[in-house]
Amino acid sequence: MIIKPMVRSNMCINAHPVGCATETFHQIEYVKSQKETRGIKGASEGGAGPKHVLVLGCSTGYGLASRICAAFEYGAATIGVSFEKDPTETKGGTPGAYNNMAFDSAAKKAGLASVTINADAFADETRMHVIDEAKKRGLQFDLIIYSLASPVRTDPDTKVMYKSVIKPIGKVYSGLSIDIMTGTLKESSAEPATEEEIASTIKVMGGEDWRRWIKMLAESDVLAQGCRTVAYSYIGPELSHAIYRNGTIGMAKVDLEKAARDLNEQLKSAVGGSAFVSINKGLVTRSSAVIPIISLYLSILFKVMKEKGTHEGCIEQMERLFAERLYTGKNNSADAVPVDSEKLIRIDDWEMASDVQSVCLERMKNITNENISEYCDLDGYKHDFLAANGFDVHGVDYEKDVSRLDVIE
């Protein structure tokens, strides 16, 4: 069959197996080139850096990029957890399922140990599965990446399912967005969240589950001395704060940041470790495409940063996080991590630079359908949107027949 992207309401609902795999391989090649450029040596090569890494939410975006960096730049053994719909011969899977297949294939070829677990990362059964795998392989994690983003979470104790929402708090939020497929502006709005929705979003996207992971891993003695854990977040420009930073997701991220401070003290006491929240650059995701203002802001941001030569995708961001924040000591060992006054890692520094933001805000004020192609990186935004599902990826023949949907080559 010939597979074309199926886009509904600014969301792509299918995936191309070869395209997803190829995009993953592109990221791996980028990291390998950076390894050579920076002269990074992993532990097996006489250097340092992470040895045993657990990535929670390993299949797409920042989680996948983190796992690629840990494995292919530092030579770490990795265990990855994500919840995917696996493909069959005739039915397609999620993009993450194909990305995981590609990662495991490349890791095997490179002689890198990897275990990928397709399961609900919020469940205690999954935590025990990870612990059992670690003990079976004699691994103690020295880095744990928490990169989970989900619409739902079931509390392991009460069995109550909570749902997260992206909504403002207190009043309706309205603003312009971009219709990705037509490249035109449209007015979007979001109703304010109820108290129940705020609380539910914190339960799903806050720090409760992260705390539970670290607690169970510590009690099971699978944390190495000096273990670090990093969770990912976003702040963005003030114009988006009403829908994001000061909205339901922002409240959850405040809870996540509090968890980081608490976990930092616990890990410091238990294993001489530490916990951080990394504030990352805004990028195209399944959710950002439908949030008022965010899609417009990102398309303008991409254009401005590309003009300045500072634009980064997921893999560039995570490679810089590892090499210029987490592992800057002797022989690429763990060292003091630079943080801001709120103890946050700011790898969004290039996005939030004053010369970038001033141009973005000026263009946001003056955007129209007539000048949208001049002010926005429509092609780049659309590419990232499609590439996340394996479409519009360089080197893939999309006119070629795909005979099976459960293979990536």
Side-chain angles (χ1 to χ4, degrees), residues 1 15 85-94 98 404-407:
M1 69 188 76
K85 183 183 80 173
D86 281 330
T88 67
E89 184 175 344
T90 58
K91 292 185 178 180
T94 54
Y98 296 124
R404 295 179 59 119
L405 294 174
D406 57 349
V407 295

Side-chain angles (χ1 to χ4, degrees), residues 309-321:
T310 57
H311 178 69
E312 296 173 305
C314 285
I315 195 63
E316 291 87 0
Q317 273 267 289
M318 293 301 95
E319 195 280 330
R320 191 158 66 91
L321 173 66

Side-chain angles (χ1 to χ4, degrees), residues 53-344:
V53 178
L54 172 62
V55 182
L56 303 170
C58 69
S59 64
T60 61
Y62 283 128
L64 174 62
S66 299
R67 192 180 188 191
I68 288 171
C69 289
F72 291 92
E73 194 159 17
Y74 294 88
T78 64
I79 293 181
V81 180
S82 67
F83 203 12
E84 309 298 335
K85 183 183 80 173
D86 281 330
T88 67
E89 184 175 344
T90 58
K91 292 185 178 180
T94 54
Y98 296 124
N99 296 341
N100 286 340
M101 291 166 65
F103 177 90
D104 285 333
S105 173
K108 183 177 181 180
K109 289 179 182 177
L112 297 168
S114 73
V115 176
T116 301
I117 298 171
N118 182 6
D120 180 6
F122 295 132
D124 283 348
E125 293 81 2
T126 304
R127 282 180 261 271
M128 290 309 304
H129 188 172
V130 168
I131 290 165
D132 290 344
E133 288 289 346
K135 287 186 173 182
K136 183 167 67 175
R137 289 166 171 73
L139 306 181
Q140 286 190 309
F141 300 115
D142 50 19
L143 177 64
I144 300 164
I145 298 294
Y146 191 86
S147 184
L148 295 179
S150 172
V152 297
R153 170 177 175 252
T154 298
D155 186 300
D157 295 323
T158 65
K159 306 306 178 185
V160 173
M161 177 182 286
Y162 295 91
K163 296 181 180 181
S164 65
V165 296
I166 302 174
K167 288 187 175 183
I169 294 174
K171 60 182 180 180
V172 174
Y173 181 77
S174 298
L176 291 175
S177 296
I178 290 181
D179 185 308
I180 295 166
M181 302 312 289
T182 65
T184 57
L185 298 173
K186 62 179 182 178
E187 189 75 23
S188 299
S189 64
E191 293 295 318
T194 65
E195 290 298 319
E196 182 180 359
E197 287 175 323
I198 296 169
S200 291
T201 302
I202 293 172
K203 288 284 288 187
V204 177
M205 298 293 290
E208 186 174 279
D209 183 71
W210 189 21
R211 293 173 188 267
R212 198 175 184 101
W213 267 103
I214 300 303
K215 180 176 184 291
M216 289 185 66
L217 294 170
E219 290 174 348
S220 300
D221 195 30
V222 291
L223 300 184
Q225 282 295 311
C227 175
R228 295 178 168 193
T229 182
V230 184
Y232 295 147
S233 186
Y234 180 65
I235 292 178
E238 188 173 348
L239 63 90
S240 70
H241 284 186
I243 189 69
Y244 200 90
R245 187 63 180 179
N246 297 332
T248 53
I249 292 294
M251 295 302 98
K253 296 304 184 181
V254 168
D255 188 73
L256 188 76
E257 290 161 19
K258 183 181 186 303
R261 293 190 290 271
D262 295 342
L263 289 172
N264 190 66
E265 293 303 313
Q266 294 170 25
L267 286 171
K268 183 178 179 181
S269 174
V271 293
S274 50
F276 302 94
V277 169
S278 176
I279 306 299
N280 301 340
K281 173 179 177 286
L283 294 171
V284 178
T285 65
R286 290 174 66 88
S287 60
S288 67
V290 295
I291 306 173
I293 281 188
I294 296 296
S295 59
L296 175 59
Y297 164 71
L298 290 178
S299 62
I300 290 175
L301 175 71
F302 290 5
K303 181 121 181 179
V304 174
M305 294 190 75
K306 286 177 181 179
E307 289 169 354
K308 294 181 178 296
T310 57
H311 178 69
E312 296 173 305
C314 285
I315 195 63
E316 291 87 0
Q317 273 267 289
M318 293 301 95
E319 195 280 330
R320 191 158 66 91
L321 173 66
F322 274 63
E324 299 183 12
R325 298 293 190 275
L326 298 177
Y327 299 102
T328 60
K330 184 178 180 181
N331 295 326
N332 312 122
S333 62
D335 202 358
V337 176
V339 293
D340 69 5
S341 60
E342 301 298 319
K343 308 300 183 185
L344 302 171

